[in-house]
Amino acid sequence: MAPVQERSRCFNFSAGPAMLPDLVLDKIVGELGDYDGLGMSILEMGHRDAGGPVQEVLQEATDCVRHILGVPSNYAVIWQQGGAHGQFAAVPLNLLRDKTQADYVDTGVWSRRAMNEARKFCTVRVCAELREEGGRLEVPPVSEWNLSDESAYDLDLGDRLLVADFTSTLLSRPVNISRYAALYCSAGKNLGPAGVCLVVVRRDLLDFALPQTPMVLHWKAAAETSPIPSLANTPPVFSIFACGHVLKGLRRSFGDVGTLDNVKRRTQRRASAVYKIIDESNGFYINKVASAVRSQTTICFTFGRDATVQRQWTGSITDTVKPTDLEEGFMREAKQRRMNGLAGHPAFGGIRICLYNGLPDEAVDEVLRLLRDFAVAESGGLEKICNCKVITCLDTCSRSIKAIKEEHPTASPTRSCLEHNLRPMPVL
């Protein structure tokens, strides 16, 4: 089989499983059949072999997490099955101790799923929720949250504990781990393929678990296995093996020191380019989220002409809703341009563009072209948006408009074209 880099690949903008870097896929394929010259696949090897290949893979991936995230020594790093849905239950089971309620911030579909799981074990208080101000959706400032002294975890005030689901954002920017009692991240976004969930938890909290906590979700059981953590049950070896390659790829591509500072700059640059088109489309594209709380990795929008469309969602993650004519046309054009996974969440419809680390910059250029071309075709033109059709301006971010016109007489570049600053960045 030819290396991934030599084969024609579509650009996968899916919310998950997300696109993996070509080099990572090539390394996985190259090692999968015969790991380290041992004549066996890593998938065939036992995790009980002390110091053996499986334990080395787990330890190496764990060490990478500690290095890249700067995890303090008083935090445990563990790998668990069940994805983020498993952790929706694991959080109350592991942190309630002698409390009977917990505070949650309701920001949408996934926080509500987490609350529904938590209600099986405690009383859930919604201390704050997404609100609309001036036509924009925003999260209220912490000073307005209705926190309770009787809750087991919420904001890190006094003896209360802050817990966060980082599934869509971990490894997109630096994180101050010490702010959190625990955080978790399901793979399938920036971390690697689906099948495992990374948990980082403060060690002094490992005795807070309820007696009925199942072993497979018990943080202390996973953190204290020997000779390394995460051996309470057979670990999801393939997923961790692949995550290890993704983590090592980040360090190679973005620098062994300050890895996430470099990733953050790339993430923000790419997201800003997409939001710029949405915001300057004269209402053709609509994103109602306030800029201060906009996701830099998952960009959702609807079409202005679809403002009155009502969605009917059953709550199933496999459910789909009938797309509008504009949504269907946008996704059809995307497919013709070898772009995949742009359908919006079934609860809201619209379009969802996920800019996870494995997506190359060339893919972002392509989706920017699509956004411009589609808006021009459907609305007759976008006065404020550069319509030169050369999104990176032939890597001429610092060149003059005159120079671009000389090379491309039919182009109509504007000053905004020169401000995109889409210089090539390292790719995994």
Side-chain angles (χ1 to χ4, degrees):
M1 181 182 294
V4 170
Q5 297 180 85
E6 298 178 7
R7 301 200 303 272
S8 178
R9 288 255 280 158
C10 73
F11 293 133
N12 180 21
F13 291 89
S14 171
M19 190 169 184
L20 290 170
D22 291 353
L23 287 177
V24 168
L25 288 176
D26 281 336
K27 286 183 175 294
I28 292 171
V29 170
E31 294 182 0
L32 199 57
D34 182 1
Y35 182 77
D36 203 24
L38 297 175
M40 294 173 62
S41 169
I42 189 69
L43 307 186
E44 301 171 306
M45 298 179 186
H47 61 287
R48 299 179 182 86
D49 181 10
V54 171
Q55 291 190 13
E56 287 181 355
V57 165
L58 264 67
Q59 189 63 59
E60 190 173 41
T62 301
D63 291 344
C64 277
V65 169
R66 287 193 173 279
H67 178 86
I68 293 173
L69 289 177
V71 179
S73 60
N74 63 321
Y75 281 74
V77 175
I78 57 178
W79 303 87
Q80 292 199 315
Q81 287 150 315
H85 279 85
Q87 297 308 309
F88 294 164
V91 168
L93 286 167
N94 282 279
L95 292 180
L96 277 173
R97 193 168 49 173
D98 57 352
K99 300 281 189 178
T100 60
Q101 72 177 27
D103 287 351
Y104 279 76
V105 179
D106 181 357
T107 58
V109 170
W110 297 111
S111 57
R112 291 167 198 158
R113 283 183 175 271
M115 287 188 285
N116 287 339
E117 284 296 291
R119 287 189 179 99
K120 299 173 182 177
F121 312 106
C122 66
T123 299
V124 169
R125 293 184 69 256
V126 178
C127 65
E129 58 188 328
L130 207 63
R131 67 186 184 190
E132 186 167 336
E133 292 286 340
R136 294 287 187 181
L137 296 173
E138 62 178 29
V139 179
V142 175
S143 60
E144 297 181 16
W145 291 9
N146 179 25
L147 300 170
S148 170
D149 291 334
E150 301 302 317
S151 293
Y153 50 89
D154 42 49
L155 189 67
D156 190 10
L157 294 173
D159 61 353
R160 288 179 291 199
L161 308 173
L162 177 63
V163 181
D165 179 351
F166 270 81
T167 294
S168 290
T169 60
L170 199 70
L171 302 178
S172 69
R173 57 183 171 83
V175 177
N176 182 3
I177 301 294
S178 61
R179 284 192 63 212
Y180 300 90
L183 60 87
Y184 57 91
C185 166
S186 178
K189 316 283 189 180
N190 280 331
L191 185 58
V196 69
C197 195
L198 176 70
V199 180
V200 180
V201 55
R202 221 169 64 202
R203 294 186 189 277
D204 62 314
L205 306 176
L206 292 175
D207 287 321
F208 280 24
L210 298 177
Q212 64 266 36
T213 303
M215 182 274 293
V216 74
L217 295 178
H218 203 298
W219 293 346
K220 182 175 182 179
E224 297 186 351
T225 59
S226 179
I228 64 170
S230 305
L231 297 178
N233 63 309
T234 304
V237 176
F238 174 77
S239 295
I240 300 172
F241 164 71
C243 287
H245 277 301
V246 170
L247 291 162
K248 287 182 286 186
L250 279 175
R251 295 174 67 173
R252 284 194 306 269
S253 294
F254 293 93
D256 195 45
V257 178
T259 302
L260 293 184
D261 289 318
N262 295 325
V263 173
K264 178 182 178 180
R265 284 191 286 271
R266 181 198 192 213
T267 301
Q268 290 181 330
R269 174 179 57 82
R270 300 189 332 166
S272 294
V274 176
Y275 281 123
K276 183 178 180 65
I277 294 180
I278 293 170
D279 292 340
E280 295 184 355
S281 68
N282 301 321
F284 182 77
Y285 300 121
I286 301 292
N287 177 284
K288 295 179 65 175
V289 181
S291 58
V293 293
R294 278 177 166 176
S295 172
Q296 300 295 292
T297 55
T298 306
I299 300 174
C300 300
F301 64 87
T302 54
F303 296 93
R305 299 209 299 255
D306 292 340
T308 60
V309 173
Q310 298 294 315
R311 308 287 175 174
Q312 297 294 327
W313 184 46
T314 66
S316 168
I317 61 173
T318 60
D319 195 11
T320 58
V321 294
K322 179 177 174 55
T324 67
D325 290 343
L326 282 173
E327 291 166 359
E328 192 168 43
F330 188 91
M331 288 184 285
R332 182 171 56 249
E333 181 66 22
K335 186 175 182 180
Q336 291 173 356
R337 301 185 187 205
R338 297 188 61 76
M339 287 182 274
N340 178 66
L342 288 163
H345 191 282
F348 309 107
I351 303 295
R352 178 168 49 179
I353 301 174
C354 295
L355 305 177
Y356 296 120
N357 290 340
L359 192 76
D361 284 352
E362 295 90 334
V364 182
D365 284 354
E366 286 300 317
V367 84
L368 292 174
R369 287 190 180 93
L370 172 60
L371 286 166
R372 286 189 176 86
D373 291 349
F374 192 77
V376 168
E378 292 291 334
S379 66
L382 299 173
E383 294 83 355
K384 293 184 179 181
I385 297 179
C386 165
N387 62 351
C388 69
K389 305 297 192 305
V390 184
I391 306 308
T392 56
C393 297
L394 304 177
D395 301 328
T396 57
C397 304
S398 61
R399 293 166 58 189
S400 67
I401 292 175
K402 180 180 178 181
I404 298 174
K405 286 183 176 179
E406 288 176 350
E407 291 190 16
H408 300 273
T410 61
S412 301
T414 65
R415 177 60 56 185
S416 64
C417 180
L418 302 182
E419 293 171 352
H420 287 158
N421 197 26
L422 290 177
R423 292 186 176 88
M425 291 288 286
V427 293
L428 300 180

